[in-house]
Amino acid sequence: MNAESRNESFKIGQRVHSLNDARRVGTVKYVGGVEGYSGTWIGVDWDQDGDGKHNGSVNGVFYFNGRSQTSASFVRSQNLSSGITLLQALELRYRTTSTKDEEDEMYVLSAGNKRVSIQLLGGDKIQDKLSRFEELTSASLSYLGVSSLGVSPDLGSILPNLKLLDLTGNLISDWEEIGALCEQLPALTTLNLSSNSLSSEVTSLPQLKNIRVLVLNNSGVSWTQVENLRRSLPGIEELHLMGNMISSITSMSSSDDQAFNSLELLNLDDNCISDWSEVLKLSQLPCLEQLYLNKNKLSRIFHSVNSNESPKKSSDPFPSLRCLLLGANNIDDLASIDALNVFPKLVDIRLSDNPITDPARGGVPRFVLIARLTKVQVLNGSEVRAREKKDSEIRYVRMVMTKLTDKSEIELLHPRFYELKKLHGIEDERASTESSGPKNMASVLISVTLKCVGPSMGEKPELTKKLPGSITVGKMKILCENFFKLKNIKPRLFLQEEGSPFPTALDEETSTLLDVGICEGSTILIDEEI
């Protein structure tokens, strides 16, 4: 009877978790009988693929649509929990004391292999402080099965100093209840609701003037919901929206000029944005300093929706942006790299795991990116120091000089070439090498350090050689065989660049040293073909 009587507590659309595992969370999709089995069953579509056994159909009979082939299962009501209240979770997390049995298990073994009980120094004081909720400034209640925030007029007096509340992975969905919670907790500035399946209805929210940081990762929110939320968040400074399958950004409404005017960090990592024009809809946010777009589907960057429009004719996009993370996208063209120079304060850029940064996929090495990015100070998480920036720009100019001579073509393909050539006082080496005099020949010699790193090469001292920049990679391999007396070993060359975590393979044997960016002071690693 007890099991049957609990059936009424579950309804379709309700969020639940497995009774014995609060991290196994799902949504009720069916309540009723299952052919071939007695009694009432609860059909649950679990959030994590693999937590279920089927897709909502059993023995050829359809009951509900599961998200995947292994996300759904049927469960008896006594094996599910509809959750607990916020205050119950606080009691569970912060007022639970260890039992005598648990304390007996806290021991170390002495030299004589005997148990010696241990006691945590200051443990009583820490527990006492945590148990007094009025002293809590932060609370982590992740994956405790919180389904009701239990908002009451007394909540503010119970938690008067709570500034940070982490409710990740619970059963919360009602925005009205979330709004009431924030009103009752006047000190609350940071709220994490990640991995809760939040309702699509965002209505009747009060002004949440104290909320500065809101985290909604993996919560299923759309940008339409964000638009509705922003009117209630006049002081928001950080908004995290990772993993919500957002593909488009509705135009920022002009009806509320103050909305998001304080936003400094927007995290859109791991979404589905493929068109840069969607990103440009955020470009006039006045205080936005950090924009995270890792793991999206972007392939091009441009300075305006009309890419033919001169940047000087339009207002500066992203006027305060200093950090832009674009790792693991599909960017594969240098014009996109050049477009980043339009952002007036952008100094910290991540481009790793894009085709353009992978020479094996037709990309360019780190020094080319540094040379083309006017203001870059941090690239792919690594600081770009003044020495590396200068060396990169000189290498880049010399590389272009060995490949192109047509001025209009250079201006089109390498917008910073003449600026950098003048900045570093680099003369046209093609003209200087037309004379065959020994002085001119010596002027194009570059000093290169050679290091053997192949496992079969043994320990060989590194060498520093002065070499013509015009010799090819193929010729360089032959020279390395002679320099290090490499017998029966086919060398493979890599350029080791300052600030780059991995060396760049030099596989194009017809390219010259200058072509691949080797300049004065470069280091070449000699490995062996596998």
Side-chain angles (χ1 to χ4, degrees):
M1 283 296 294
N2 184 45
E4 291 298 323
S5 66
R6 291 184 59 181
N7 291 333
E8 296 300 322
S9 64
F10 296 102
K11 59 184 180 181
I12 293 175
Q14 183 177 357
R15 297 286 287 168
V16 295
H17 70 78
S18 176
L19 187 64
N20 297 318
D21 185 0
R23 289 179 175 267
R24 191 180 180 212
V25 178
T27 304
V28 174
K29 292 295 186 74
Y30 174 83
V31 178
V34 176
E35 188 175 315
Y37 299 88
S38 62
T40 300
W41 293 83
I42 314 299
V44 180
D45 194 24
W46 303 104
D47 289 357
Q48 295 294 324
D49 291 347
D51 277 356
K53 297 180 179 179
H54 50 75
N55 63 356
S57 297
V58 176
N59 297 328
V61 180
F62 170 81
Y63 296 94
F64 63 93
N65 273 321
R67 292 182 305 100
S68 74
Q69 294 299 312
T70 58
S71 67
S73 60
F74 288 102
V75 188
R76 293 293 191 186
S77 59
Q78 63 265 32
N79 294 323
L80 289 176
S81 172
S82 57
I84 59 178
T85 67
L86 175 68
L87 288 177
Q88 286 174 324
L90 282 165
E91 293 276 352
L92 184 65
R93 177 59 55 87
Y94 294 105
R95 281 190 177 158
T96 300
T97 56
S98 57
T99 65
K100 187 174 187 308
D101 288 342
E102 290 172 334
E103 289 176 355
D104 288 344
E105 289 300 312
M106 297 174 65
Y107 64 89
V108 293
L109 293 176
S110 69
N113 205 32
K114 293 182 179 180
R115 291 189 180 192
V116 178
S117 297
I118 61 172
Q119 184 176 4
L120 294 177
L121 184 63
D124 291 341
K125 292 182 179 179
I126 294 171
Q127 185 61 47
D128 180 59
K129 183 175 181 179
L130 290 177
S131 66
R132 295 198 301 271
F133 290 164
E134 66 272 12
E135 294 190 20
L136 280 179
T137 57
S138 64
S140 177
L141 304 177
S142 57
Y143 295 100
L144 286 181
V146 178
S147 59
S148 169
L149 298 178
V151 177
S152 71
D154 299 329
L155 196 60
S157 60
I158 296 171
L159 297 163
N161 297 305
L162 191 67
K163 297 179 181 179
L164 184 154
L165 179 58
D166 183 359
L167 290 167
T168 298
N170 283 287
L171 310 177
I172 300 162
S173 60
D174 189 344
W175 279 108
E176 189 172 348
E177 196 173 21
I178 293 167
L181 172 73
C182 295
E183 277 193 309
Q184 290 295 321
L185 299 176
L188 189 66
T189 60
T190 301
L191 179 61
N192 189 343
L193 295 168
S194 297
S195 300
N196 285 274
S197 184
L198 300 173
S199 170
S200 59
E201 298 295 324
V202 184
T203 56
S204 305
L205 270 182
Q207 288 284 297
L208 309 177
K209 295 181 180 180
N210 294 327
I211 297 297
R212 297 289 179 266
V213 179
L214 182 60
V215 187
L216 301 174
N217 299 335
N218 303 300
S219 58
V221 298
S222 66
W223 193 264
T224 301
Q225 289 170 269
V226 174
E227 278 284 293
N228 292 330
L229 276 174
R230 72 189 182 97
R231 300 184 183 95
S232 301
L233 298 166
I236 192 75
E237 295 173 0
E238 288 189 23
L239 181 59
H240 297 262
L241 300 168
M242 289 177 60
N244 286 310
M245 299 186 71
I246 294 172
S247 59
S248 62
I249 295 171
T250 52
S251 296
M252 303 298 283
S253 172
S254 58
S255 60
D256 187 354
D257 293 335
Q258 299 304 310
F260 281 172
N261 269 11
S262 300
L263 190 64
E264 297 176 0
L265 187 155
L266 178 59
N267 185 347
L268 286 165
D269 282 353
D270 197 18
N271 278 287
C272 301
I273 301 171
S274 60
D275 192 335
W276 187 253
S277 61
E278 299 296 328
V279 179
L280 285 176
K281 294 173 184 177
L282 305 167
S283 65
Q284 297 307 313
L285 292 175
C287 295
L288 188 64
E289 296 182 2
Q290 300 180 67
L291 179 58
Y292 301 169
L293 291 164
N294 296 309
K295 295 184 179 180
N296 275 270
K297 299 179 180 179
L298 294 163
S299 58
R300 284 187 61 223
I301 302 169
F302 40 87
H303 59 77
S304 66
V305 175
N306 178 8
S307 57
N308 293 321
E309 180 183 358
S310 169
K312 294 182 180 179
K313 294 182 180 180
S314 60
S315 58
D316 285 338
F318 298 107
S320 300
L321 190 68
R322 60 178 181 79
C323 175
L324 177 61
L325 306 186
L326 292 163
N329 277 276
N330 301 317
I331 300 166
D332 63 359
D333 67 309
L334 286 169
S336 292
I337 306 303
D338 298 334
L340 296 174
N341 290 325
V342 176
F343 307 151
K345 296 184 178 179
L346 185 60
V347 295
D348 185 350
I349 304 168
R350 180 174 292 279
L351 293 163
S352 52
D353 297 320
N354 279 279
I356 193 61
T357 63
D358 184 0
R361 291 190 286 170
V364 297
R366 176 181 169 91
F367 79 88
V368 173
L369 297 173
I370 291 173
R372 296 184 81 118
L373 293 167
T374 309
K375 299 174 288 292
V376 66
Q377 295 176 11
V378 179
L379 179 61
N380 297 333
S382 175
E383 181 184 0
V384 178
R385 297 178 180 174
R387 171 66 185 272
E388 184 187 9
K389 186 166 182 61
K390 179 180 178 180
D391 288 349
S392 295
E393 290 172 348
I394 292 172
R395 290 169 65 186
Y396 171 70
V397 169
R398 286 176 173 166
M399 180 189 72
V400 174
M401 291 170 66
T402 63
K403 290 183 175 182
L404 300 174
T405 56
D406 183 81
K407 184 175 180 180
S408 60
E409 187 178 8
I410 290 175
E411 289 177 341
L412 178 65
L413 299 178
H414 303 276
R416 297 199 69 209
F417 173 79
Y418 288 107
E419 169 199 344
L420 295 176
K421 186 170 180 283
K422 181 179 179 181
L423 175 66
H424 297 293
I426 302 173
E427 297 182 359
D428 191 338
E429 292 178 357
R430 284 184 181 273
S432 66
T433 55
E434 286 180 0
S435 170
S436 58
K439 183 176 179 180
N440 286 319
M441 287 298 292
S443 68
V444 295
L445 293 178
I446 52 180
S447 180
V448 177
T449 298
L450 306 172
K451 293 182 180 180
C452 285
V453 296
S456 301
M457 296 177 181
E459 293 188 11
K460 297 181 182 293
E462 65 182 51
L463 298 177
T464 299
K465 296 286 186 180
K466 282 192 171 291
L467 302 168
S470 59
I471 68 169
T472 64
V473 171
K475 177 65 174 176
M476 187 72 228
K477 289 182 178 181
I478 296 172
L479 289 175
C480 288
E481 290 176 1
N482 294 330
F483 290 152
F484 294 102
K485 297 179 172 54
L486 302 178
K487 296 181 179 179
N488 302 319
I489 294 177
K490 187 176 181 182
R492 188 181 182 195
L493 307 184
F494 293 84
L495 174 60
Q496 187 176 53
E497 296 184 273
E498 180 183 353
S500 181
F502 303 106
T504 302
L506 306 178
D507 291 332
E508 186 56 59
E509 298 205 356
T510 58
S511 297
T512 68
L513 297 188
L514 290 175
D515 286 341
V516 296
I518 293 172
C519 66
E520 185 72 17
S522 291
T523 297
I524 297 176
L525 305 180
I526 301 98
D527 203 346
E528 54 193 76
E529 294 281 4
I530 299 175

